[in-house]
Amino acid sequence: GAIGVPQWGKYWLSLLNLYEWEGVNPVPPELWLLPEWLPFHPWRWWVQCRVVYLPTSYLYANKCKMPLNALLKALREEIYLEPFSSIAFSGHRDTVAATDLKRPYSSLLQVTNPLMRIWEKYFRPSWLHDKANAVIRDLIRCEDENTSYNDLAPVNKAFHMVAVHFADGEDRTAIIRHREKIATYLWQSADGMTSGGTNGVQLWDTAFTVIAVAEAGLAQKPEFKSSLEKALHFLDISQFRENLADPYRQQRKGGWPFSTRDNGYIVSDCAAEGMKATIMLQDVHGFPKLISDSRLQDCADTLLLMQNKDGGFGSYERARSSSMLEVLNPAELFDRIMVEYSYPECTTAVLTSLTLFRHHFPYYRPEDIKEALRRATNYILEAQRPDGSWYGSWAICFTYGTFFALESLASVGQTYHTSERVRRSCDWLVSKQIDDGGWGEHYTSCEIKEYVQHEKSQVVNTSWATLALMNARYPRVEAIERGLNLIKSRQQPNGEWLQEGIEGVFNCTCMIGYPNYKFYFPIRALGKFDHEYLPTMKEIAAEKTRRKSTPNLAYFIHVCLDRTNCS
């Protein structure tokens, strides 16, 4: 029954008057009043975490709920295994169905949660409660206005709407603005109404499409010129041109978002891939200079500010606190949500983007960029697992992480011929190739953090694996060709590829679909093979031949000196 729903579900049932707030673990708004130097102040939490617990703290503190009506009364008797009136909700704060319990509460939370209930019930002064309400409402307003009422993601968007409804009373201005952006998130699928993880994936898809077309050698084709000009225009209008007057937000000037400029949030890898796509179009392929050099330099400046102490890059912000904060994780469904972490994928995006930037702007902050690249490379090497793979946190899973990591290492000259780590990684990748030539990884790899074979090969996984091997200059071309043949065999007569398994993931347990991955990654893999990989391998073979046919200079000098000494 509904008694076992996780905390986020308990919030919604309580708001709907289908559960009692006394059965919900505390979400104290007073945390936002604490000194900001404290290592557990909410501003130090990962942004996806803090923007959820900001509005829910208001809803919890004020025990908000809608009036009871006939429908709700009927539902109360339907969704539980015993009569609603007989349930002692206070005894079910920690009750969670086993299927939803991904991370049990820490011992610290088990002690502090009851203490916080005592604090709010017997000791919290009303003036402090009112002050916390005012601060929370201001922060909600700030988030709404900075994101054009999209908010960061659908979870905090929905909670924001309800919090604003209760906080603003008869003033419906904010609610009207919120309602205008509901449809942004919702779309109809074969399974019914579905919600996007953000207000779209526009910038991410656009940048990756441009990069795919460029790496496939198609950027100069006349039939693609108009589309690429439109893509460059979108990159132009989506770039952040200013920072926000918000003390808790990461500097964003020059960066790009995951979706649209309205979303308001810079993401490190989106900014990096946006800059990379821009340079490819404007500086490599001669498209109009819509985005000035100074704006690209702004992006480089901001990316340099986002590097973590370990040399890696996180998602939205630079890490602000220690992973020890995970002991305060109040969500049973997700792991690693309390603070920002470094990721091989985000680090690779920034590393490869700054490498390309440095090539075209060699005199702009050369020492700072050199040092950032050195530290980022060290992070990538440290993140490698003993079997040669990398864990991917934003798609499935080891195939994805390894694809990015090998791209970053190749950009700094570490390939199959020069690096034992790269050879180990390539050997691991090839060991996962299926008999039909493809690769297929199951989403449960993300949960158990060990490679799990999919029941059939996947076009997207195969694209990542072949791209990884090509980036690494893997010399056994037949393994790559078998993967590309699998991709070709799945292509439909109209040129598309059909949807297969889920591609993306969020916090280990939440799977996310990226429908366009099945288009631009296969294009990138097929095109890169002919346009970049084969010519590069021919150059490597020719260089080896030249070295064999050319006398060794050191040996020649040694012989000459030896003969001179003898004379």
Side-chain angles (χ1 to χ4, degrees):
I3 204 73
V5 71
Q7 290 299 311
W8 290 9
K10 285 179 166 64
Y11 301 157
W12 282 111
L13 291 180
S14 298
L15 290 168
L16 290 168
N17 215 333
L18 298 175
Y19 191 91
E20 296 293 351
W21 280 109
E22 65 188 50
V24 176
N25 278 317
V27 192
E30 296 84 12
L31 287 176
W32 289 93
L33 303 179
L34 294 172
E36 293 180 1
W37 52 263
L38 288 173
F40 55 86
H41 188 282
W43 89 276
R44 299 181 182 276
W45 302 354
W46 184 42
V47 64
Q48 287 276 9
C49 177
R50 71 174 183 262
V51 298
V52 170
Y53 290 102
L54 174 68
T56 53
S57 68
Y58 180 92
L59 296 168
Y60 169 83
N62 294 280
K63 305 299 183 286
C64 301
K65 58 184 177 181
M66 69 179 293
L68 199 60
N69 58 33
L71 174 60
L72 294 177
K73 289 179 180 178
L75 286 171
R76 278 184 168 189
E77 303 308 320
E78 180 181 329
I79 62 177
Y80 296 101
L81 303 182
E82 55 188 297
F84 184 89
S85 59
S86 68
I87 300 173
F89 287 95
S90 60
H92 291 286
R93 293 171 191 148
D94 298 333
T95 302
V96 182
T99 51
D100 290 332
L101 186 59
K102 303 299 182 181
R103 180 188 170 96
Y105 285 136
S106 68
S107 299
L108 179 61
L109 275 185
Q110 292 175 18
V111 171
T112 56
N113 279 339
L115 293 177
M116 285 190 288
R117 294 286 301 192
I118 294 173
W119 151 257
E120 71 181 49
K121 187 173 182 179
Y122 298 108
F123 298 104
R124 182 181 63 191
S126 58
W127 67 263
L128 188 65
H129 172 75
D130 294 339
K131 184 177 181 180
N133 273 345
V135 169
I136 295 295
R137 181 63 188 96
D138 284 343
L139 290 172
I140 288 175
R141 184 178 296 107
C142 194
E143 164 77 355
D144 288 343
E145 292 176 354
N146 286 337
T147 62
S148 302
Y149 286 80
N150 286 292
D151 297 320
L152 177 58
V155 177
N156 76 311
K157 160 76 172 176
F159 282 128
H160 269 224
M161 288 187 65
V162 182
V164 167
H165 165 78
F166 284 105
D168 291 3
E170 294 182 359
D171 183 356
R172 312 310 286 166
T173 306
I175 283 292
I176 292 171
R177 294 288 306 279
H178 266 295
R179 283 175 176 165
E180 293 171 353
K181 298 298 176 72
I182 293 176
T184 304
Y185 284 101
L186 301 179
W187 56 284
Q188 192 75 17
S189 74
D191 300 321
M193 186 63 75
T194 307
S195 175
T198 61
N199 68 321
V201 66
Q202 296 91 321
L203 191 285
W204 187 243
D205 277 348
T206 301
F208 266 142
T209 299
V210 168
I211 293 168
V213 171
E215 289 193 0
L218 304 174
Q220 299 293 348
K221 297 286 185 181
E223 59 266 39
F224 300 124
K225 181 180 179 181
S226 176
S227 291
L228 292 175
E229 287 176 342
K230 292 176 182 177
L232 181 57
H233 171 69
F234 181 73
L235 290 166
D236 176 29
I237 65 173
S238 300
Q239 188 186 27
F240 296 124
R241 308 288 290 276
E242 71 291 312
N243 293 315
L244 292 170
D246 184 333
Y248 299 141
R249 288 286 292 274
Q250 170 74 41
Q251 179 174 319
R252 67 175 194 171
K253 184 179 180 182
W256 277 272
F258 183 66
S259 53
T260 65
R261 188 172 177 174
D262 273 356
N263 174 263
Y265 279 88
I266 185 176
V267 188
S268 68
D269 52 358
C270 299
E273 302 294 356
M275 183 165 75
K276 191 189 305 180
T278 301
I279 293 174
M280 284 181 170
L281 289 177
Q282 295 185 163
D283 297 279
V284 178
H285 294 289
F287 280 76
K289 196 80 170 178
L290 300 186
I291 300 174
S292 66
D293 292 350
S294 63
R295 288 168 61 185
L296 293 174
Q297 291 164 3
D298 287 340
C299 185
D301 291 340
T302 293
L303 288 174
L304 290 172
L305 290 174
M306 297 181 77
Q307 190 166 29
N308 289 326
K309 292 181 179 179
D310 62 5
F313 289 81
S315 52
Y316 295 91
E317 299 164 335
R318 191 172 184 268
R320 298 174 175 179
S321 192
S322 162
S323 61
M324 293 178 63
L325 269 185
E326 293 296 342
V327 298
L328 299 179
N329 184 348
E332 311 94 332
L333 283 172
F334 302 115
D335 194 10
R336 289 166 57 91
I337 67 167
M338 291 302 297
V339 295
E340 184 72 85
Y341 292 91
S342 293
Y343 303 101
E345 309 99 296
C346 297
T347 304
T348 290
V350 178
L351 191 156
T352 55
S353 184
L354 288 177
T355 299
L356 183 64
F357 175 86
R358 182 172 65 168
H359 177 76
H360 291 276
F361 302 92
Y363 302 111
Y364 188 78
R365 299 184 65 177
E367 293 304 316
D368 292 337
I369 291 176
K370 179 181 178 181
E371 176 63 11
L373 295 179
R374 183 194 66 79
R375 294 177 59 216
T377 302
N378 287 341
Y379 164 78
I380 291 290
L381 294 173
E382 288 296 319
Q384 188 178 26
R385 291 161 62 102
D387 63 5
S389 67
W390 280 266
Y391 180 85
S393 296
W394 300 104
I396 299 166
C397 168
F398 293 98
T399 317
Y400 186 71
T402 303
F403 154 56
F404 272 92
L406 288 181
E407 181 184 14
S408 65
L409 293 179
S411 74
V412 295
Q414 297 195 33
T415 65
Y416 189 88
H417 300 282
T418 63
S419 168
E420 182 277 330
R421 287 176 175 269
V422 173
R423 288 193 291 275
R424 180 158 31 110
S425 181
C426 289
D427 292 342
W428 174 85
L429 260 180
V430 173
S431 75
K432 302 303 180 184
Q433 192 170 24
I434 304 173
D435 291 341
D436 64 5
W439 279 260
E441 186 176 2
H442 198 267
Y443 72 85
T444 50
S445 293
C446 306
E447 296 181 354
I448 68 172
K449 299 183 180 179
E450 295 292 339
Y451 189 94
V452 178
Q453 189 75 54
H454 201 285
E455 53 265 25
K456 63 176 291 187
S457 56
Q458 302 288 304
V459 164
V460 174
N461 284 150
T462 303
S463 300
W464 293 336
T466 53
L467 282 165
L469 293 173
M470 285 187 274
N471 284 327
R473 309 293 186 259
Y474 185 68
R476 300 183 182 92
V477 67
E478 62 276 5
I480 299 171
E481 287 182 320
R482 290 179 62 220
L484 297 179
N485 287 335
L486 183 279
I487 293 173
K488 293 175 185 178
S489 71
R490 300 272 178 89
Q491 190 174 26
Q492 303 300 300
N494 67 351
E496 71 171 332
W497 284 269
L498 300 180
Q499 183 66 39
E500 296 178 338
I502 197 79
E503 305 93 351
V505 65
F506 180 88
N507 291 103
C508 305
T509 57
C510 180
M511 303 305 142
I512 303 175
Y514 287 89
N516 287 325
Y517 276 12
K518 65 180 180 289
F519 300 136
Y520 49 72
F521 281 118
I523 291 170
R524 184 173 175 179
L526 292 172
K528 188 181 183 74
F529 182 76
D530 290 325
H531 182 63
E532 290 186 14
Y533 175 74
L534 288 180
T536 300
M537 298 308 291
K538 288 179 181 178
E539 289 178 9
I540 292 174
E543 178 63 23
K544 285 183 177 180
T545 302
R546 284 194 297 272
R547 288 179 179 177
K548 287 181 179 179
S549 61
T550 303
N552 186 289
L553 181 60
Y555 176 74
F556 178 76
I557 294 172
H558 171 75
V559 170
C560 290
L561 290 174
D562 187 57
R563 288 179 178 176
T564 301
N565 291 336
C566 288
S567 300

